[in-house]
């Protein structure tokens, strides 16, 4: 690769890099390996050399265009609307800052950083994500990625490896947001659905770290791994009686349900909550159209809460967890950048436990 002169006091950078791009919505065939320009940081931006980047269900749904729109649930679109192509996916990034266009962030050069993938709709600590790395802007399935300097958090002292850190942003940020919105604390009993997936397993680990008792729903063959992550009881969804088995595991009810599955079970599942309990939903793997009895909600003072990703405050908490190494993320497999299609194919099969990580 050829290089170009650096800004004063900053290192030489290659002109081009290897990147995996999607050329439109579709199957694995829309993923292409290309040589693309290395972006240069502007004001308030830093350039990160990617060490590892995590895979998420959002990568599949964005590539497939499966988010739909309020006016047309079947339209092909990204999370927040139509996307520009080609697009480099990859929201979960850990790497080293190699250049800065932000004079106040020059001190970050050389630091290992965990990247907050979100940009927000306001300046406050509880602002909501307004766009996401790898969706509305190019992400980490490349050798370099450009990010806002305010979203690059130093984790130089973390005992976690790069591959472990790359598990955190979307899955653990989403899980931490769900626990926060579910007001989960020490002594609570929590039910986690989809517990062998990225967000579900993160919720198991993080809830256990908070001192909660965790009952986890997953297929029986993955139960041992989920139990190792912190679940006290495994509910085998393959038995076909999840609601009954979950009720038996918590006779006095659940303080919170952390749900990434959705589907028809939500209606009858509300009976699992104790008075004042919260059902927090962040996925619809089993379907998005549900029927509930609203009387159950108001008579028992229950809350059905939607939860998307995290806030700046929640992500700052995740960074603190990463720096201390409070949880050890489970890594299922790693892939080189040019095998990103194989990584997404494995992700879609949902036969693994833990995270799939791309290492450029």
């Amino acid at each position: 690769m050829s290089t170009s002169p650096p800004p004063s006091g900053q290192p030489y950078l290659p002109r081009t890099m290897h990147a995996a791009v999607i050329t439109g919505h579709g199957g694995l065939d829309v993923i292409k390996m290309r040589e693309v320009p290395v972006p240069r940081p502007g004001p308030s931006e830093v350039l990160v050399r990617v060490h590892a980047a995590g895979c998420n269900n959002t990568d599949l749904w964005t590539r497939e265009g499966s988010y739909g729109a309020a006016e047309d649930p079947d339209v092909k679109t990204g999370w927040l609307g139509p996307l520009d192509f080609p697009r480099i996916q990859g929201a979960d990034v850990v790497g080293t800052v190699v250049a800065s266009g932000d004079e106040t962030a020059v001190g970050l050069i050389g630091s290992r950083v965990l990247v907050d993938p979100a940009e927000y709709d306001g300046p406050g600590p509880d602002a909501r994500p307004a766009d996401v790395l790898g969706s509305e802007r190019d992400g980490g399935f490349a050798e370099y990625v450009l990010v806002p300097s305010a979203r690059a958090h130093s984790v130089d002292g973390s005992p976690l490896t790069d591959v472990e850190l790359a598990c955190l942003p979307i899955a653990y940020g989403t899980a931490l947001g769900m626990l926060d919105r579910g007001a989960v604390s020490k002594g609570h009993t929590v039910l986690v659905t989809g517990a062998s997936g990225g967000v579900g397993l993160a919720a198991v680990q993080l809830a256990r770290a908070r001192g909660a008792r965790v009952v986890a729903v997953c297929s029986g063959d993955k139960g041992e791994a989920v139990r190792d992550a912190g679940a006290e009881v495994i509910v085998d969804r393959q038995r076909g009686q999840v609601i009954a088995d979950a009720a038996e595991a918590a006779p006095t009810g659940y303080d919170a349900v952390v749900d990434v599955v959705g589907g028809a079970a939500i209606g009858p599942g509300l009976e699992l909550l104790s008075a004042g309990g919260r059902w927090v939903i962040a996925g619809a793997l089993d379907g998005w159209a549900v029927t509930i009895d609203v009387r159950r909600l108001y008579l028992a003072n229950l809350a059905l809460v939607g939860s998307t990703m995290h806030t700046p405050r929640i992500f700052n908490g995740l960074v603190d967890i990463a720096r201390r190494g409070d949880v050890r993320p489970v890594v299922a497999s790693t892939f080189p950048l040019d095998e990103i299609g194989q990584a997404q194919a494995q992700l879609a099969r949902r036969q693994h436990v833990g995270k799939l990580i791309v290492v450029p």
Side-chain angles (χ1 to χ4, degrees):
M1 298 181 184
S2 60
T3 59
S4 58
S8 176
Q10 298 195 30
Y12 280 88
L13 298 171
R15 293 185 184 276
T16 61
M17 64 178 180
H18 299 302
V21 306
I22 55 171
T23 56
H25 294 304
L28 294 173
D29 58 306
V30 304
I31 303 173
K32 307 293 183 185
M33 288 302 303
R34 288 186 177 172
E35 194 80 5
V36 302
V38 173
R40 269 27 184 193
S44 302
E45 293 178 326
V46 295
L47 183 69
V48 175
R49 175 64 171 95
V50 179
H51 295 170
C55 298
N56 293 284
N57 285 328
T58 53
D59 300 324
L60 305 184
W61 299 330
T62 297
R63 170 173 54 76
E64 294 166 354
S66 9
Y67 282 100
E71 65 277 7
D72 183 358
D74 297 318
V75 69
K76 298 292 185 183
T77 184
W79 175 51
L80 292 175
L83 298 183
D84 295 326
F85 297 105
R87 172 66 71 230
I88 301 172
Q89 293 190 289
D92 292 346
V93 175
V94 62
T96 298
V97 175
V98 295
S100 176
D102 182 349
E103 292 183 1
T104 66
V106 169
L108 274 178
I109 295 176
S111 291
R112 184 168 70 145
V113 295
L114 183 67
V115 175
D116 181 348
E119 276 290 76
Y120 298 96
D121 63 0
D126 293 309
R128 295 171 298 183
D131 83 0
V132 179
L133 195 67
S135 177
E136 286 64 46
R137 51 199 159 92
D138 284 338
F141 292 154
E143 293 178 293
Y144 295 88
V145 63
L146 200 62
V147 301
S149 56
R151 307 297 169 222
H153 297 264
S154 174
V155 287
D156 281 329
S158 173
L160 302 182
T161 67
D162 292 337
V163 168
E164 289 172 327
L165 286 167
C167 297
L168 296 178
I170 292 290
Y172 284 74
T174 298
L176 196 60
M178 295 178 79
L179 296 179
D180 186 82
R181 291 163 181 138
V184 173
S185 62
K186 184 176 181 179
H188 280 181
T189 299
V190 180
L191 181 68
V192 178
T193 71
S196 63
V199 175
L201 198 65
V204 170
Q205 290 184 298
L206 292 167
R208 185 68 187 89
R210 288 189 174 196
R213 174 178 181 258
V214 180
V215 178
V217 181
C218 65
S219 59
D221 59 324
K222 298 175 181 177
E224 184 176 351
V226 175
R227 192 185 298 275
D228 288 344
E232 181 177 313
V233 180
I234 301 299
V235 171
D236 183 356
R237 65 176 179 81
Q238 293 175 316
R239 280 169 45 85
Q241 50 184 49
V242 167
I243 302 298
D245 289 347
E248 183 179 348
T252 60
Y254 292 90
D255 298 285
V257 174
V258 174
D259 184 15
V260 297
V261 173
I266 292 178
L270 290 176
E271 297 293 336
L272 296 171
L273 290 171
S274 56
R278 300 185 181 195
W279 188 294
V280 186
I281 179 79
L285 293 173
D286 273 0
W288 51 267
V290 302
T291 300
I292 64 171
D293 184 342
V294 296
R295 294 170 298 181
R296 175 60 183 152
L297 286 176
Y298 67 76
L299 290 174
N301 290 307
L302 305 181
L304 180 58
V305 183
S307 184
T308 295
M309 288 183 61
H310 52 262
T311 64
R313 175 181 57 81
I314 289 168
F315 197 84
N316 287 340
L318 182 62
V319 171
D320 289 338
I321 289 170
R323 288 171 177 158
R324 295 189 302 263
D326 288 349
V327 297
R328 206 98 205 186
V330 178
V331 179
S333 299
T334 62
F335 298 82
L337 180 60
D338 60 3
E339 293 181 9
I340 181 65
Q342 293 171 244
Q344 290 201 7
Q346 181 172 330
L347 185 63
R349 288 193 292 270
R350 309 192 196 286
Q351 296 174 352
H352 61 285
V353 177
K355 292 285 289 182
L356 307 179
I357 307 296
V358 172
V359 182

